[in-house]
């Protein structure tokens, strides 16, 4: 079919008419619907005004009565536990203070005695209204209830000869075997963050369906550190499923389904850890999900729905461990439950630094800290040890730099000879380095070695709880940035403060760049020429939100680098001997490495291609 211009114009006009028609009719329908809604609201309001006003107080009473009757219906055989007054019981050891509630016979709040929050009060875990530990029971025909909604008998606390405390809550009566009852028993051990918990069910074959205990653990991840955003980045869900450990950062997904047996599930904030361990039996399956609400001082709300398979018998018991305490590698490791794997000493793409932290950084840091009893000085000594450890490579780097400096006059002559021919200049420069026995990449090895060390210390200082709340010089908390300079407003890429340790790290990095550039040949590439001076500026934006411990380490490391450069270049390296050595190397027969041969072949090919392109243009 052949289309002429008039046909095309006709189709376009028809299309415009159709579009206009549909727009007009849809707009008319929307207008009619809007008018109808407004009329309905107006008529409803007018009708409501003619109705007799309801007694709000009576409505509240009716609502309370309905809720009470509903609770009684759900409670079934435990009707006496449907309503009551919440009574709290406090038990403690040298490390924590646990508040229990008879409503649900559960932990209401845990206060850690050795740790302070941002308000200088004791750190509180599991202390929000959202938090609960509950499971479903059958209370009668077609009736179920959550144990967290039932009032147990007032709890009792017994001090044991070994220094532990046993807390007991009972639901129902244990006087006769005909009645069902539930007993929650907690054991708080001396000098321990791990709590033993057992749920003993008499009449379990009636209370549970086919022995299935459907447990719900709700936990509020409350803010404990100064930076909410940084704490969110360092909050994770961890678990052991099928005998293997796994974890997820809360910002990267929102739930996990479990198909295999689960030993424990836990939530690790940056410095604190809460977990539920199913000892006997383990969790058969379940799911944990979490949300990040936009509410003050709340990082996340997690809900775990887990299933345990108990024996189908008249009596049954489930045993658990509850941990509320610091995310301390040494403390968690002693429980032999793989809790310590959740401590971030290197995870994900940084997992390669975990062995370095476990077997080098952590033991040395612990020794240094025990030796000087000061975390700031321990970091300085750790830095000095690391620099001494890599000093042989550092020396070879500076020696390479000194050789490069000695060749400066000859490199300058090559620039005059070849001018703007960068390719020929590069080839001649490589030839010069080979004749003189100089490796132009010799100074890169220590810099590359610093990369895993930096990432290792980055993860270590982010997870080392000993730094939390520890002051040093002007920094009030080595685990957080020092905000000595406050702007009062949020500056893009920088935040609302300027860290003084960041400034010292940036300035010392700049001095290293200046000194290093003075030791290397002049760069004809302007980008390479200015890059060493630009890099410290980037550090300003990267380091400003980092822990003071890290920026203090970087400052000390830079100071040591400057000192080593000065001493080695001034007192150890003899520049006259270097020149003499270069002349001797020139006289020796040269053998090319395979890398040098490939490099020269590639440069030669590029040169020929360039010459051919120039001929074609002519």
């Amino acid at each position: 079919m052949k289309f002429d211009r008039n046909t095309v114009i006709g189709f376009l006009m028809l299309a415009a008419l159709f579009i206009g028609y549909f727009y007009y009719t849809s707009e008319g329908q929307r207008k009619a619907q809007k008018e109808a809604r407004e009329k309905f609201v107006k008529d409803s309001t007018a009708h409501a005004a003619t109705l007799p006003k309801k007694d709000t107080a009576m409505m509240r009473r009716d609502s309370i009565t309905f809720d009470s009757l509903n609770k009684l219906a759900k409670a079934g055989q435990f009707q006496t536990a449907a309503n009551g007054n919440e009574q709290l019981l406090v038990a403690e050891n040298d490390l924590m203070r646990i508040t229990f509630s008879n409503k649900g016979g559960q932990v209401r709040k845990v206060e850690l005695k050795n740790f302070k929050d941002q308000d200088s009060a004791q750190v509180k875990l599991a202390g929000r209204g959202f938090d609960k530990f509950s499971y479903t029971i059958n209370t009668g025909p077609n009736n179920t209830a959550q144990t967290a909604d039932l009032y147990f008998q007032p709890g009792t606390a017994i001090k044991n000869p070994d220094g532990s405390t046993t807390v007991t809550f009972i639901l129902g009566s244990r006087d006769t075997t005909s009645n069902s009852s539930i007993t929650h028993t907690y054991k708080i051990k001396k000098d321990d963050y791990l709590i033993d918990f057992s749920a003993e069910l008499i009449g379990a074959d009636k209370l549970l369906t086919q022995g299935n205990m459907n447990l719900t653990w709700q936990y509020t991840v409350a803010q404990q550190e100064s930076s909410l955003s940084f704490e969110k980045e360092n909050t994770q869900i961890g678990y052991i499923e099928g005998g293997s450990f796994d974890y997820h950062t809360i910002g990267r997904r929102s739930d996990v389904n479990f198909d295999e047996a689960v030993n424990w599930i836990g939530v690790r904030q940056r410095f604190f850890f809460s977990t539920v361990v199913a000892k006997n039996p383990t969790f058969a399956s379940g799911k944990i999900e979490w949300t990040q609400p936009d509410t003050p001082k709340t990082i996340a709300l997690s809900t775990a729905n887990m299933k345990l398979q108990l024996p189908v018998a008249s009596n049954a018991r489930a045993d658990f461990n509850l941990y509320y305490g610091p995310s301390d590698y040494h403390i968690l490791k002693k429980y032999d439950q793989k809790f310590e794997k959740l401590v971030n000493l290197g995870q994900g793409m940084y997992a390669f630094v975990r062995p370095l932290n476990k077997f080098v950084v952590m033991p040395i840091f612990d020794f240094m800290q025990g030796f000087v009893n000061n975390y700031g000085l321990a970091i300085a000594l750790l830095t000095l040890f690391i620099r001494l450890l890599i000093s042989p490579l550092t020396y070879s780097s500076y020696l390479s730099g000194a050789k490069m400096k000695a060749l400066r006059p000859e490199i300058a002559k090559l620039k005059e000879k070849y001018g703007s021919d960068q390719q020929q200049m590069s080839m001649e420069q490589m030839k010069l380095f080979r004749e003189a026995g100089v490796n132009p990449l010799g100074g890169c090895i220590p810099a590359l070695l610093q990369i895993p060390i930096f990432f290792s210390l980055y993860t270590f200082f982010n997870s080392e709880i000993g730094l939390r709340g520890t002051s040093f010089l002007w920094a009030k908390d080595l685990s957080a940035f020092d905000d000595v300079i406050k702007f009062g407003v949020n500056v893009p890429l920088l935040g609302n403060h300027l860290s003084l340790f960041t400034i010292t790290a940036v300035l010392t990095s700049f001095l290293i760049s200046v000194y290093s550039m003075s030791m290397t040949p002049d760069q004809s590439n302007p980008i390479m020429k200015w890059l060493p001076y630009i890099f410290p500026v980037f550090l300003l934006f990267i380091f400003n939100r980092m822990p003071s411990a890290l920026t203090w380490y970087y400052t000390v490391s830079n100071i040591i680098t400057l000192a080593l450069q000065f001493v080695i270049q001034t007192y150890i390296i003899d520049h006259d001997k270097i020149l003499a050595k270069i002349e001797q190397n020139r006289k020796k027969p040269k053998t090319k490495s395979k890398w040098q041969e490939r490099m020269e072949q590639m440069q030669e090919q590029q040169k020929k291609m360039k010459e051919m392109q120039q001929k074609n243009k002519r």
Side-chain angles (χ1 to χ4, degrees):
M1 186 178 192
K2 187 176 180 180
F3 292 98
D4 57 14
R5 194 176 82 174
N6 293 334
T7 304
V8 174
I9 292 173
F11 273 118
L12 291 175
M13 290 179 66
L14 283 172
L17 286 171
F18 274 118
I19 293 170
Y21 170 75
F22 286 122
Y23 175 78
Y24 176 78
T25 54
S26 61
E27 188 68 23
Q29 288 175 354
R30 284 195 293 269
K31 186 176 181 181
Q33 290 172 356
K34 182 180 179 183
E35 290 175 351
R37 284 196 300 269
E38 290 176 349
K39 186 176 183 301
F40 174 77
V41 172
K42 184 177 180 181
D43 293 344
S44 299
T45 305
H47 177 68
T50 63
L51 296 175
K53 293 183 178 180
K54 293 183 179 180
D55 188 342
T56 54
M58 182 180 292
M59 291 174 64
R60 284 196 296 270
R61 287 196 297 271
D62 290 345
S63 177
I64 292 170
T65 302
F66 176 79
D67 290 342
S68 181
L69 291 173
N70 189 40
K71 286 180 180 179
L72 287 171
K74 285 186 174 181
Q77 62 177 308
F78 299 108
Q79 286 189 1
T80 56
N83 297 291
N85 296 319
E86 185 178 22
Q87 298 184 30
L88 304 178
L89 184 151
V90 176
E92 58 187 307
N93 59 20
D94 292 338
L95 301 176
M96 57 184 180
R97 186 174 186 265
I98 308 108
T99 301
F100 296 93
S101 172
N102 69 319
K103 187 177 182 181
Q106 60 182 318
V107 173
R108 165 58 71 85
K109 178 176 62 177
V110 176
E111 298 169 271
L112 305 182
K113 295 183 177 181
N114 297 330
F115 301 95
K116 300 293 183 182
D117 61 18
Q118 298 303 307
D119 299 322
S120 298
Q122 290 179 343
V123 166
K124 298 179 183 63
L125 304 177
R128 302 289 184 92
F130 177 79
D131 299 275
K132 74 174 183 180
F133 189 91
S134 180
Y135 51 93
T136 307
I137 57 172
N138 300 321
T139 58
N142 302 319
N143 280 334
T144 61
Q146 288 288 324
T147 57
D149 296 330
L150 299 175
Y151 290 86
F152 286 57
Q153 297 174 24
T156 59
I158 298 174
K159 196 76 174 177
N160 301 314
D162 61 357
S164 64
T165 302
T166 301
V167 175
T168 306
F169 292 94
I170 299 175
L171 177 67
S173 174
R174 301 181 69 180
D175 295 338
T176 61
T177 57
S178 60
N179 293 327
S180 298
S181 68
I182 298 174
T183 303
H184 286 179
T185 305
Y186 299 87
K187 185 176 181 181
I188 300 94
K189 289 167 279 190
K190 185 180 179 181
D191 298 330
D192 203 338
Y193 291 104
L194 198 69
I195 304 170
D196 291 337
F197 166 55
S198 66
E200 185 179 358
L201 288 73
I202 296 177
D205 52 344
K206 298 176 182 177
L207 293 171
L208 303 176
T209 302
Q210 299 298 316
N212 291 324
M213 176 183 277
N214 296 313
L215 184 142
T216 299
W217 178 44
Q218 293 182 184
Y219 183 73
T220 303
V221 189
Q223 179 184 355
Q224 305 292 350
E225 313 307 321
S226 57
S227 174
L228 180 65
S229 60
F230 197 66
E231 193 171 2
K232 282 184 177 180
E233 294 172 11
N234 289 275
T235 298
Q236 298 173 339
I237 305 294
Y239 51 88
I240 296 289
E241 181 184 17
S244 299
F245 167 78
D246 204 352
Y247 73 96
H248 299 283
T249 304
I250 61 167
R252 297 179 184 172
R253 61 184 297 176
S254 59
D255 61 76
V256 181
N257 288 294
F258 303 112
D259 299 320
E260 299 182 67
V262 177
N263 297 80
W264 59 263
I265 49 174
V267 180
R268 179 191 65 79
Q269 297 171 241
R270 188 179 170 200
F271 291 124
F272 299 100
F273 181 49
S274 300
T275 187
V276 176
V277 183
K279 293 171 60 181
N280 183 31
T282 57
F283 296 118
S285 59
K287 178 181 181 179
I288 184 170
E289 53 190 351
W290 55 92
T291 59
Q292 298 184 65
D294 189 17
T295 54
K297 296 188 176 183
T298 302
I299 294 171
L301 300 174
S302 72
T303 301
N305 294 298
M306 308 300 293
K307 181 183 288 186
L308 293 95
Q309 182 61 56
L310 299 183
V312 182
S314 57
N315 296 339
R317 171 173 165 162
D319 292 305
F320 305 89
N321 283 137
L322 307 176
Y323 180 91
Y324 298 101
S327 178
D328 186 305
Y329 181 88
H330 301 295
I331 293 174
L332 296 177
K333 187 174 175 58
K334 74 177 184 180
Y335 296 117
D336 197 25
Q337 296 274 2
K338 299 182 181 179
F339 293 156
E340 75 280 359
K341 286 184 174 292
L342 202 53
V343 179
N344 186 8
L345 295 178
Q347 296 175 340
M349 63 183 295
Y350 302 122
F352 68 96
V353 303
R354 191 174 183 88
L356 183 61
N357 272 325
K358 283 177 60 177
F359 303 114
V360 180
V361 174
M362 189 184 298
I364 295 170
F365 182 77
D366 290 342
F367 173 79
M368 296 298 185
Q369 199 281 325
F371 179 70
V372 297
N373 198 27
N374 182 292
Y375 279 97
L377 294 179
I379 291 170
L381 291 175
L382 173 68
T383 310
L384 181 61
F385 177 85
I386 291 172
R387 296 312 306 271
L388 290 174
L389 197 65
I390 63 173
S391 58
L393 290 173
T394 305
Y395 173 77
S396 65
S397 170
Y398 294 156
L399 183 61
S400 177
K403 290 179 179 179
M404 295 283 286
K405 186 178 180 180
L407 292 175
R408 268 187 169 187
E410 297 190 45
I411 293 173
K413 291 178 181 178
L414 290 176
K415 285 183 179 180
E416 290 179 5
K417 182 177 180 180
Y418 295 102
S420 59
D421 191 346
Q422 294 293 328
Q423 193 169 19
Q424 186 64 34
M425 171 66 191
S426 177
M427 292 177 64
E428 293 298 326
Q429 191 168 290
M430 289 291 292
K431 182 180 178 181
L432 174 65
F433 290 154
R434 188 175 67 254
E435 288 178 353
V438 175
N439 182 4
L441 299 178
C444 299
I445 297 174
L448 293 174
L449 189 63
Q450 288 277 16
I451 293 174
I453 293 174
F454 176 81
F455 284 129
S456 173
L457 293 173
Y458 171 75
T459 55
F460 176 72
F461 291 144
N462 271 336
S463 61
E464 174 53 45
I465 193 170
L467 299 173
R468 187 181 185 273
T470 301
S471 61
F472 179 70
L473 297 179
W474 54 80
K476 297 178 181 178
D477 185 353
L478 282 172
S479 71
F481 52 76
D482 61 288
D483 54 351
V484 176
I485 304 172
K486 298 179 181 180
F487 301 142
V489 294
N490 194 53
V491 178
L493 302 178
L494 204 59
N496 60 0
H497 72 281
L498 187 59
S499 165
L500 196 52
F501 273 135
T502 297
I503 294 175
T504 59
V506 169
L507 288 177
T508 49
S509 296
F510 184 78
L511 291 175
I512 290 174
S513 297
V514 172
Y515 189 86
S516 298
M517 291 300 289
S518 69
M519 299 296 296
T520 56
D522 293 333
Q523 291 285 346
S524 56
N525 189 333
I527 296 177
M528 296 301 295
K529 183 176 182 179
W530 293 104
L531 187 60
Y533 302 112
I534 297 172
F535 177 69
V537 178
F538 283 108
L539 292 181
L540 180 68
F541 300 101
I542 296 170
F543 281 177
N544 199 46
R545 62 191 294 267
M546 297 296 179
S548 300
L550 186 67
T551 47
W552 166 236
Y553 154 79
Y554 208 78
T555 300
V556 175
S557 179
N558 287 345
I559 292 172
I560 293 172
T561 298
L562 288 168
L564 286 174
Q565 283 181 337
F566 177 78
V567 172
I568 291 174
Q569 295 288 355
T570 306
Y571 299 105
I572 298 177
I573 294 177
D574 190 327
H575 295 272
D576 294 333
K577 286 185 178 180
I578 288 174
L579 287 171
K581 185 72 173 178
I582 289 173
E583 290 300 323
Q584 288 179 4
N585 288 334
R586 281 177 165 170
K587 296 175 182 178
K588 294 178 181 178
K590 300 295 184 298
T591 56
K592 298 179 183 179
S593 66
K594 290 183 179 180
W595 180 83
Q596 287 174 329
E597 289 177 356
R598 285 196 297 267
M599 181 63 69
E600 288 183 1
Q601 288 173 2
M602 185 175 66
Q603 289 176 338
E604 191 65 35
Q605 288 174 359
Q606 289 176 348
K607 182 180 179 182
K608 289 179 180 179
M609 288 178 64
K610 188 176 180 181
E611 290 175 352
M612 289 177 63
Q613 288 174 356
Q614 289 176 349
K615 288 180 180 179
N616 291 333
K617 287 180 181 179
R618 293 173 185 172

